[in-house]
Amino acid sequence: MVGAADSQLSREYEFSDQDFQRVRRMVYEQTGIALSESKRQLVYGRLSRRLRALQLREFGTYLQRVEGGDAEEMQHFRNAITTNLTSFFRENHHFDFLANHLMPHLEFQNRTSRRIRIWSAGCSTGEEPYSIAMALLESAAHLARSWDVRILATDIDTNVLEHATRGVYSNERVERLDPSRLLRWFDRVPGEEQFRVSESVRQLVSFKQLNLISDWPMKGPFDVIFCRNVVIYFDRETQRQIIARMEALQRDGDYLLLGHSESLLDISTRYRLVGNTIHRRTA
């Protein structure tokens, strides 16, 4: 992401190679994310905000504080590092697949249990799970009314989860939505250039904090898991472990949707590719 060498950067704080390696180690231990050398300036930019907030003068002092067991600052540290790029109906083919194929399939398959469970892993500020809920309501509103339908949305970052739970978005975040969707699923915040996701959409989604390399309290099974543009940040072995745990929460025939640049090659043999980054669990 950044091509300039350390010696060429004009910085408010000294940020040595030793500091960066300490950050890389802590990020890996805490989140499983493997930071590349190209992320050095991004790390500096995000963490220097914490130094200013705490009125610290050195990265070494800050990192000592994080390593020393300050739980609140460790959460700030994780929040600062994790990436949160998202938008409504991003990679729209997945939502078309959900509406046109998966919902009719699940209505037939789950007709006895009348239960549907979908997991949005790495939900960021909520655009993905809310998009799932909108697609579900547009294609199968009768199921949302009469079945036990829930969307679990998880992320490691408490800041983005707070934003997601509020469900309020600026005009810039919703401007690419189809106008009919904006009118149908959002309420304008009086006197502001902001829009709130409607109650009918929000009531389908539950937001929870979850670190993918820590314990998972969910029991499953999940009919569909959206894990898009998430595992790309982990090294290969961590990817294998996370996908294996997802396998255990799904039954044969359930679906896993990944991001456009992600693949299960050399990661898992339990999923079969059935569409564009759409995988189906096999026996």
Side-chain angles (χ1 to χ4, degrees):
M1 182 175 295
V2 176
D6 246 11
S7 60
Q8 297 173 309
L9 296 172
S10 176
R11 287 176 166 161
E12 180 180 357
Y13 305 100
E14 181 182 352
F15 187 52
S16 67
D17 184 67
Q18 182 181 12
D19 292 332
F20 181 55
Q21 298 310 321
R22 286 174 72 183
V23 170
R24 293 179 76 182
R25 184 184 69 252
M26 284 192 288
V27 169
Y28 186 78
E29 290 172 351
Q30 289 293 319
T31 71
I33 294 173
L35 289 176
S36 67
E37 285 287 339
S38 66
K39 302 297 184 184
R40 185 185 296 257
Q41 181 63 5
L42 179 145
V43 166
Y44 171 83
R46 293 187 176 185
L47 291 184
S48 48
R49 298 171 196 161
R50 292 305 306 156
L51 270 70
R52 293 187 203 104
L54 297 169
Q55 299 183 322
L56 298 177
R57 296 184 177 181
E58 297 178 341
F59 262 89
T61 304
Y62 174 71
L63 296 178
Q64 185 176 8
R65 177 169 180 165
V66 176
E67 290 173 321
D70 185 330
E72 181 178 354
E73 191 54 40
M74 175 58 79
Q75 186 60 59
H76 284 300
F77 175 82
R78 287 194 294 253
N79 290 352
I81 292 298
T82 51
T83 301
N84 300 301
L85 176 64
T86 187
S87 62
F88 287 104
F89 292 93
R90 185 184 184 192
E91 300 185 47
N92 191 55
H93 66 282
H94 284 154
F95 302 100
D96 289 341
F97 182 75
L98 175 69
N100 299 324
H101 176 82
L102 281 181
M103 294 316 302
H105 165 72
L106 293 176
E107 181 173 8
F108 177 78
Q109 174 183 278
N110 299 358
R111 62 192 181 280
T112 300
S113 68
R114 298 169 67 86
R115 174 187 183 276
I116 294 175
R117 291 292 185 272
I118 300 174
W119 176 19
S120 168
C123 67
S124 189
T125 46
E127 285 90 329
E128 178 178 275
Y130 286 139
S131 297
I132 295 170
M134 291 178 222
L136 191 156
L137 287 167
E138 290 169 358
S139 60
H142 59 291
L143 300 185
R145 288 193 300 266
S146 59
W147 283 29
D148 179 12
V149 179
R150 298 298 302 167
I151 300 164
L152 172 66
T154 66
D155 202 282
I156 190 175
D157 188 331
T158 55
N159 291 333
V160 298
L161 287 173
E162 182 180 351
H163 183 167
T165 302
R166 290 198 308 269
V168 176
Y169 299 90
S170 67
N171 185 59
E172 290 76 14
R173 301 298 286 270
V174 301
E175 63 184 0
R176 294 186 180 182
L177 277 170
D178 185 286
S180 62
R181 272 186 168 142
L182 184 60
L183 181 64
R184 184 177 184 183
W185 302 123
F186 291 81
D187 301 312
R188 187 160 192 158
V189 178
E192 298 185 34
E193 291 294 317
Q194 292 186 314
F195 297 82
R196 190 180 193 196
V197 179
S198 69
E199 175 63 23
S200 60
V201 173
R202 286 187 288 115
Q203 67 182 1
L204 291 178
V205 185
S206 297
F207 291 98
K208 303 290 183 183
Q209 185 188 17
L210 182 72
N211 186 339
L212 287 174
I213 67 167
S214 298
D215 293 335
W216 296 2
M218 311 90 74
K219 303 298 182 184
F222 288 99
D223 301 285
V224 188
I225 297 177
F226 282 71
C227 185
R228 307 186 309 160
N229 308 301
V230 174
V231 297
I232 192 173
Y233 295 104
F234 300 106
D235 63 24
R236 189 55 59 95
E237 183 54 35
T238 306
Q239 291 176 358
R240 292 191 183 101
Q241 294 171 8
I242 290 172
I243 296 300
R245 295 171 76 182
M246 289 183 174
E247 290 172 3
L249 293 178
Q250 293 197 289
R251 303 151 299 188
D252 297 344
D254 289 338
Y255 287 84
L256 171 64
L257 281 59
L258 299 180
H260 67 277
S261 59
E262 295 170 318
S263 167
L264 293 182
L265 183 65
D266 297 327
I267 299 297
S268 172
T269 59
R270 297 293 301 275
Y271 289 98
R272 178 169 57 91
L273 185 66
V274 296
N276 184 7
T277 58
I278 298 169
H279 301 77
R280 194 172 190 186
R281 193 181 181 282
T282 60

